[in-house]
Amino acid sequence: MELRQLSYFKAVAEELHFGRAAARMCIAQPALSNHVMSLERELGCPLFIRSTRRVELTRAGETFYDRCVRILSDIDLTTELTRAAGGSRIRQIRIGSIYPSTMGMLPTFLAKIARKYPDVRIHIASGNTGEIIRGLETGQLNLGFIRPVENIGSLRFVSLAHERYYLAVGHANPLSARDEISIDDLRTQKIIAFNRQNLSFSERYFNEKFAEYDLTANIAFSCDDTYALVSLVSAGLGIGFAPEWTLDLPNRGFELKKVSGIDFRIGLGIAWSKEDPTAGRDDIVDIARSLARAGR
């Protein structure tokens, strides 16, 4: 079994398409297929279910993929540790970001990194907090702009800012013309909430807040993300709490209003693994920490 075979298998597992995987790895498709079949013969079991319509991982393939990710990440980590010990400069930074950070503090961070390391390659991956944490733990990401988490194991988190949420009200809703809105005003409205099944930080936060203010019974619609929420609000189906950055959306059909007695704020911060030599460099973390002064 060769390391390049693991890389080829990983590419196919992520693309679920031999042609795209071959293009990604800069290898002819027949050669890629031969490497994968060689792995299957060596392992004694199929890794993929192949059909004319699609490619799927078998249960054995899913297990093998998880191990491949860890093995290849460990090799990358070993390489970076060796380079760092030898005084080599950073060559690449892989950053995971939830959408609010992508719109907010991430551009400032990238500008500072680019000035500090003009030759560094930067890769940005979008995702939710859970996905980004898994990327940090497996070594696929160096830094993550995410919702608050605890320092567990090698994971480290520093709070940088708080994102304020206001009541999104459609233009046709009488509340949009009100200067003052109270909690009691919300009890006559249909509320649009984030989907409880996803159990993200934001979803748990608002579920708890709606229960605290006795508004759970008013939830009439649910959605998976902020864009869907403001679309439902703009269509006049209800009201919902949206982050302040939605004011910058073009052609928006809603207003953001403050509600007396309610101050909804959700934290944002930077996370990394203390075992990662790239993220572990003091200047990288210090650059991230410096965003707190501008972001709070």
Side-chain angles (χ1 to χ4, degrees):
M1 190 177 299
E2 301 176 9
L3 286 176
R4 62 174 178 166
Q5 291 178 314
L6 302 187
S7 298
Y8 294 152
F9 164 79
K10 179 174 175 289
V12 178
E14 291 173 350
E15 298 290 344
L16 292 179
H17 190 281
F18 279 84
R20 289 196 298 267
R24 169 175 157 182
M25 300 304 294
C26 300
I27 184 177
Q29 183 174 334
L32 177 67
S33 297
N34 288 336
H35 280 293
V36 172
M37 287 189 290
S38 176
L39 272 176
E40 290 176 320
R41 285 194 299 270
E42 184 173 350
L43 292 169
C45 59
L47 299 174
F48 295 101
I49 301 172
R50 302 162 175 85
S51 71
T52 55
R53 292 186 176 183
R54 59 181 178 178
V55 175
E56 296 178 85
L57 282 167
T58 63
R59 185 172 180 181
E62 292 174 353
T63 300
F64 193 62
Y65 172 74
D66 290 339
R67 297 306 306 169
C68 279
V69 169
R70 293 182 179 275
I71 290 169
L72 294 172
S73 295
D74 284 344
I75 291 172
D76 289 341
L77 180 60
T78 300
T79 301
E80 291 300 321
L81 282 169
T82 304
R83 285 175 178 156
S88 297
R89 293 178 61 84
I90 295 174
R91 301 174 66 180
Q92 176 175 265
I93 299 177
R94 296 158 297 183
I95 303 169
S97 178
I98 60 174
Y99 190 79
S101 294
T102 305
M103 292 290 291
M105 62 182 67
L106 182 60
T108 302
F109 177 75
L110 294 177
K112 292 186 175 186
I113 286 294
R115 288 194 295 269
K116 177 75 173 180
Y117 302 104
D119 299 324
V120 74
R121 297 194 307 271
I122 297 174
H123 175 72
I124 308 296
S126 298
N128 60 41
T129 293
E131 292 167 343
I132 292 170
I133 289 174
R134 286 191 290 274
L136 296 172
E137 290 174 340
T138 59
Q140 293 179 299
L141 296 173
N142 303 118
L143 299 169
F145 286 88
I146 62 174
R147 296 301 187 190
V149 295
E150 295 181 1
N151 293 335
I152 299 175
S154 62
L155 186 69
R156 294 295 176 265
F157 175 82
V158 171
S159 178
L160 300 178
H162 284 86
E163 182 182 30
R164 282 187 167 83
Y165 279 68
Y166 296 98
L167 185 69
V169 182
H171 289 157
N173 191 311
L175 291 181
S176 66
R178 298 272 297 274
D179 293 328
E180 292 187 5
I181 298 175
S182 68
I183 296 175
D184 286 337
D185 292 325
L186 306 187
R187 305 192 195 285
T188 63
Q189 299 285 322
K190 293 182 178 180
I191 293 177
I192 302 164
F194 293 116
N195 192 336
R196 297 184 179 198
Q197 294 179 350
N198 292 335
L199 296 178
S200 73
F201 186 95
S202 298
E203 289 149 11
R204 290 196 302 271
Y205 176 86
F206 279 106
N207 288 337
E208 292 170 0
K209 289 298 183 181
F210 289 145
E212 178 183 340
Y213 290 102
D214 195 26
L215 294 171
T216 302
N218 291 76
I219 297 175
F221 303 95
S222 63
C223 55
D224 289 341
D225 57 55
T226 298
Y227 284 119
L229 186 146
V230 296
S231 294
L232 290 168
V233 169
S234 299
L237 297 180
I239 58 174
F241 285 89
E244 192 171 12
W245 59 262
T246 56
L247 283 174
D248 297 327
L249 293 176
N251 304 317
R252 58 184 174 86
F254 62 93
E255 300 293 333
L256 291 187
K257 297 286 186 176
K258 291 184 178 180
V259 179
S260 301
I262 289 182
D263 182 18
F264 289 166
R265 295 187 298 168
I266 301 181
L268 289 170
I270 188 83
W272 69 96
S273 170
K274 68 177 184 179
E275 297 177 0
D276 185 334
T278 297
R281 296 194 181 201
D282 291 342
D283 48 359
I284 297 292
V285 175
D286 287 343
I287 289 172
R289 289 177 189 272
S290 72
L291 302 178
R293 290 188 288 273
R296 288 188 184 276

